[in-house]
Amino acid sequence: MTAGLFDLTGRRALLTGSSQGIGLALARGLAEAGAQVVLNGRDPAKLEAARAGLAASGLAAEVAAFDVTEAAAAEAALAEIEARLGPVDILVNNAGITRRMPALDVLPAVWHEILRTNLDGVFFVAQAAARRMTARGRGKIINIASVQSDLARPGTAPYATSKGGVRMLTRALCAEWAARGVQVNAIAPGYFATELTRPLVEDAEFTAWLARRTPAGRWGRVEELVGACVFLAAPASDFVNGQMLYVDGGMTAVV
């Protein structure tokens, strides 16, 4: 019985921004737990490479290339996926970008680009998925937030603002959809070594700061996010709603 709490056999999961990094690691983890995964990104070639990588490990995946920042594209994609494969039971909103620069140097175009991807995109895809989930009376939505939903550093104003928005959007959607059988939660990663954070990983001064600031004393590994995602996607979390689960090596627990 306990094992069944984390069994995703027969579930279908769409993961945005999953051609690399955290999204791809989560897709692998959900597939290993039994889910049929659908990879999303804007670059069909990168999606195919990601699918091939999963296939080499014996894990099947489908792909759906669309831009999360376009509400009509998200709606069309959900309709196409469900017509082709069946109901989407799990949505992981992972697509996100950042541009590190002083707030005084942030141009309007950069501000809107980050907010459009990191916050608008989360809402548009969640809305498209929830139209179907609420009609069926069940569904799991997992938004990828950040420790910067609560903490800020110089050079991160647009990103931190967008991730703070993800935190409150998660709560707001819980308030509306929980009674209709949909759980909306968030995972807040700390600092993880990925393609996007490579410049920081390779910055000896920053890495030394991170080791001092994080009780665990190191960068996170993307595989260490999988357990939280499986939990929030599985029956084990059926009465967990509107929450943000920090996976940060203790960063937000200390001063």
Coordinates of all heavy atoms in Angstrom, one line a residue, residues 143-152 159-168 170 186-189 244 246 252:
N143 N 4.4 23.8 -9.8 CA 5.1 25.0 -10.4 C 6.5 25.0 -9.8 O 6.7 24.8 -8.6 CB 4.4 26.3 -10.0 CG 3.0 26.3 -10.6 OD1 2.8 25.9 -11.7 ND2 2.1 26.9 -9.8
I144 N 7.5 25.3 -10.6 CA 8.9 25.4 -10.2 C 9.2 26.9 -9.8 O 9.2 27.7 -10.7 CB 9.9 24.9 -11.2 CG1 9.6 23.4 -11.6 CG2 11.3 25.0 -10.6 CD1 9.5 22.5 -10.4
A145 N 9.3 27.1 -8.5 CA 9.5 28.4 -8.0 C 11.0 28.5 -7.8 O 11.8 28.1 -8.6 CB 8.7 28.7 -6.7
S146 N 11.5 29.1 -6.6 CA 12.9 29.3 -6.4 C 13.0 29.8 -4.9 O 12.1 30.3 -4.3 CB 13.4 30.3 -7.3 OG 14.7 30.7 -6.9
V147 N 14.2 29.6 -4.4 CA 14.5 30.3 -3.1 C 14.3 31.8 -3.3 O 14.1 32.5 -2.3 CB 15.9 30.0 -2.5 CG1 16.0 28.5 -2.1 CG2 17.0 30.3 -3.5
Q148 N 14.5 32.3 -4.5 CA 14.3 33.7 -4.8 C 12.8 34.1 -4.9 O 12.5 35.2 -5.2 CB 15.1 34.1 -6.0 CG 16.6 34.1 -5.7 CD 17.4 34.8 -6.8 OE1 17.0 35.8 -7.4 NE2 18.6 34.3 -7.0
S149 N 11.9 33.2 -4.6 CA 10.6 33.5 -4.3 C 10.5 34.3 -3.0 O 9.5 35.0 -2.7 CB 9.7 32.3 -4.3 OG 9.6 31.6 -5.5
D150 N 11.5 34.1 -2.1 CA 11.6 34.7 -0.8 C 12.8 35.5 -0.6 O 12.8 36.4 0.3 CB 11.5 33.6 0.3 CG 10.1 32.9 0.3 OD1 9.2 33.6 0.7 OD2 10.1 31.7 0.0
L151 N 13.9 35.1 -1.2 CA 15.2 35.8 -1.0 C 15.6 36.5 -2.2 O 15.3 36.1 -3.3 CB 16.3 34.8 -0.6 CG 16.0 33.8 0.6 CD1 17.1 32.8 0.8 CD2 15.8 34.6 1.9
A152 N 16.4 37.6 -2.1 CA 16.8 38.3 -3.3 C 18.3 38.5 -3.2 O 18.9 38.6 -2.1 CB 16.1 39.6 -3.4
Y159 N 14.0 38.4 -12.1 CA 13.8 37.0 -11.8 C 13.1 36.8 -10.5 O 12.2 36.0 -10.4 CB 15.2 36.3 -11.9 CG 15.1 34.8 -11.6 CD1 14.8 33.9 -12.6 CD2 15.4 34.3 -10.3 CE1 14.8 32.5 -12.4 CE2 15.4 33.0 -10.1 CZ 15.0 32.1 -11.1 OH 15.0 30.7 -10.8
A160 N 13.6 37.5 -9.4 CA 13.1 37.3 -8.1 C 11.6 37.7 -8.1 O 10.8 37.1 -7.4 CB 13.9 38.1 -7.1
T161 N 11.3 38.8 -8.8 CA 9.9 39.3 -8.9 C 9.0 38.2 -9.5 O 7.9 37.9 -9.1 CB 9.8 40.6 -9.7 OG1 10.6 41.6 -9.0 CG2 8.4 41.1 -9.8
S162 N 9.5 37.6 -10.6 CA 8.7 36.6 -11.3 C 8.5 35.4 -10.4 O 7.4 34.8 -10.4 CB 9.4 36.2 -12.6 OG 10.6 35.4 -12.4
K163 N 9.5 34.9 -9.7 CA 9.4 33.8 -8.8 C 8.6 34.0 -7.6 O 7.9 33.1 -7.1 CB 10.8 33.2 -8.5 CG 11.5 32.6 -9.6 CD 10.8 31.5 -10.3 CE 11.6 30.8 -11.4 NZ 10.9 29.7 -12.0
G164 N 8.6 35.3 -7.1 CA 7.7 35.6 -6.0 C 6.2 35.6 -6.5 O 5.3 35.1 -5.8
G165 N 6.0 35.9 -7.8 CA 4.7 35.8 -8.4 C 4.3 34.4 -8.5 O 3.1 34.0 -8.3
V166 N 5.2 33.5 -8.8 CA 4.9 32.0 -8.9 C 4.4 31.5 -7.5 O 3.4 30.7 -7.5 CB 6.1 31.2 -9.4 CG1 5.8 29.7 -9.2 CG2 6.4 31.6 -10.9
R167 N 5.0 32.0 -6.5 CA 4.6 31.5 -5.1 C 3.1 31.9 -4.9 O 2.3 31.1 -4.5 CB 5.5 32.2 -4.1 CG 5.1 31.8 -2.7 CD 5.9 32.5 -1.6 NE 5.5 32.1 -0.3 CZ 6.2 32.5 0.8 NH1 7.2 33.3 0.7 NH2 5.8 32.1 2.0
M168 N 2.8 33.2 -5.2 CA 1.4 33.6 -4.9 C 0.4 33.1 -5.9 O -0.7 32.8 -5.6 CB 1.4 35.1 -4.9 CG 2.0 35.8 -3.6 SD 1.5 35.0 -2.1 CE -0.3 35.3 -2.1
T170 N 0.6 30.1 -7.2 CA 0.3 28.8 -6.7 C -0.7 28.8 -5.6 O -1.7 27.9 -5.6 CB 1.6 28.2 -6.1 OG1 2.6 28.1 -7.1 CG2 1.4 26.8 -5.5
A186 N 4.1 24.0 -5.3 CA 5.4 24.5 -5.9 C 6.6 23.8 -5.3 O 6.6 23.5 -4.1 CB 5.5 26.0 -5.8
I187 N 7.6 23.7 -6.1 CA 9.0 23.3 -5.5 C 9.9 24.5 -5.7 O 9.9 25.2 -6.7 CB 9.5 22.2 -6.3 CG1 8.7 20.9 -6.2 CG2 11.0 21.8 -5.9 CD1 9.1 19.8 -7.1
A188 N 10.6 24.8 -4.6 CA 11.5 26.0 -4.6 C 12.9 25.5 -4.5 O 13.4 25.2 -3.4 CB 11.2 26.9 -3.4
P189 N 13.6 25.3 -5.6 CA 15.0 24.8 -5.6 C 15.9 25.9 -5.1 O 15.6 27.1 -5.3 CB 15.3 24.5 -7.1 CG 14.0 24.5 -7.8 CD 13.1 25.4 -7.0
M244 N 4.6 25.3 -0.9 CA 5.9 25.5 -1.6 C 6.9 24.7 -0.8 O 7.2 24.9 0.4 CB 6.3 26.9 -1.7 CG 7.5 27.1 -2.6 SD 7.7 28.8 -3.3 CE 8.2 29.7 -1.9
Y246 N 10.6 23.6 -0.2 CA 12.0 24.1 -0.5 C 12.9 22.9 -0.6 O 12.9 22.0 0.3 CB 12.5 25.0 0.7 CG 11.7 26.3 0.8 CD1 10.5 26.3 1.5 CD2 12.1 27.4 0.1 CE1 9.8 27.5 1.7 CE2 11.4 28.6 0.2 CZ 10.2 28.6 1.0 OH 9.5 29.8 1.0
T252 N 17.2 28.5 3.1 CA 16.2 29.4 3.6 C 15.9 29.2 5.1 O 15.0 29.9 5.7 CB 14.9 29.2 2.8 OG1 14.5 27.8 2.8 CG2 15.0 29.7 1.4

